[in-house]
Amino acid sequence: MSSIWSSLSAVSPAEKALANEKTPRTRGVSAMHFKSATTGVATKNMRNELNRLVNSVSNPATKKAFDTEMQSFFYLFTRYLAEKAQSGELEWDRIKSPATEQIVAYDKLPTITDPTSLNKLAVLKVNGGLGTSMGMTGAKSALEVKDDMTFLDLTVRQIEHLNTVHRVDVPLILMTSFNTHEDTLRIVKKYANQQLRITTFNQSRYPRILKESLMPCPKSADDDKSMWYPPGHGDLYNALLHSGVLDQLLSEGKEYLFVSNSDNLGAVVDQNILQHMIDTNAEFLMEVTDKTKADVKGGTLINYDGNMQLLEIAQVPPEHVEEFKSVRKFKIFNTNNLWINLKAVKRIMENEAMELEIIVNPKVTDDGVAVIQLETASGAAIKHFRNAHGINVPRSRFLPVKACSDLLLIKSDIYSLEHGQLVINENRMFGTTPVIKLGDHFKKIAQFQKRFKKIPKIIELDHLTVTGDVYFGRNVTLRGTVIIVANEGQRIDIPDGCVLENRLLSGNLTMTEL
């Protein structure tokens, strides 16, 4: 066995917790001591297994990179064990809403026309998702969402327009996962002649952990994909550093990074936010927006002992979940549009201080084995940066496509495209978009495409609910509130050219005026 783990072996958080343990005097402390003892065993076993995994790689360069990755994973794992032993949960009563000065209203930002500072900007899209919830098998960003253009096409069009109009050089960075990397490399080839530089790098690949034994699932480094997982977008900082992309950007004079999810079609470069970041010397800005009933699960910014922190629903004790979802205490949520100072990232990472809250994601493998994935969220880094704060942005900057209901809205006549950017139709009389709820028959993308011969006109729609076996013809118009319910064993076909206004259609195709 090589001694690749010697640097870590003395200082893992779990072993630190064990070393700090007092002699047990009471039942409570005794239980604590037992926890720490088992923590020590689990740490040692995991280190041995990871050592074995590293030694299964023969190529020296690959082995070195894999070793670095496994050390990062080991550190995360030992932090998880230490927190578990000490029950390191947030104390609910100490959680407060952010102070007024910690959230700045978007309309209070200066309006900027000088494009100079754009030359210091790079744009990063988190591009690791597969879109499995919508029945996709490849990279989600390759899904056609509007006018035959994919998520990636729209992003490229936006940044290319920015570069051409302002004569600047804003590069696009794509952070992929091992699930989407090959797919993405293939797709970006078609942008070779565009006015834009694209850099692609892969985020970490960590071993899934067997819940029962706390041992890694894979037995060798090239074990099946199902044995591994990408550890959430909080891995961004680690992956930027280890891939060399962080140093590359800094050497090109880039100082600011605008990060967003590739499926958020509202996340476009905003010069006013960038200038505000520069003017206030903020090292980190998080775009937040007002919470609605649709956003109850979104992470929120909190004030914890005077510090800004991100609170995700996975960190909330079960008895407080309803309070977390309510709009009373937590009025805003994180859009995951982040503006980050790259020099600050370098400083924090070199001091090894980027400890993000661990989100434990329990999963069950295809053969029924319980495993856990230790993940982190990129927004959680806010506590590490100086002058960090939130910007309360309009809802138009948060247009994610998480389900086929979202896709219907984006594809419809509610929106048009201008240089890759979604623009709300000026004929829409209301500032808000309609509420659309499609049932399970529309859940997968293939079903969705089959059930709409053509996307209906919904410019005057307020609310649409569709459940059951329903098909839409061409040139259908929906207005007001429309509810279509096909009962079990029944099918409803909406004929070509049909206009439905304030209607309830039920299983036997009776139309009821609402």
Side-chain angles (χ1 to χ4, degrees), residues 10 19 107 117 119 126 214 285 301 306 316 410 453 472 497 499 501:
D107 55 16
S117 49
N119 273 317
V126 176
L214 292 180
L285 295 177
L301 275 182
V316 177
I410 300 296
K453 270 192 199 170
F472 289 80
V499 177
E501 183 167 0

Side-chain angles (χ1 to χ4, degrees), residues 46 48 59 76 160 170 234 271 324 462 466 494-495 497 503:
M46 178 61 85
N48 291 341
N59 179 294
L76 187 68
E160 187 183 29
V170 176
Q271 282 182 255
F324 174 82
D462 299 323
V466 184
I494 310 296
R503 289 293 170 111

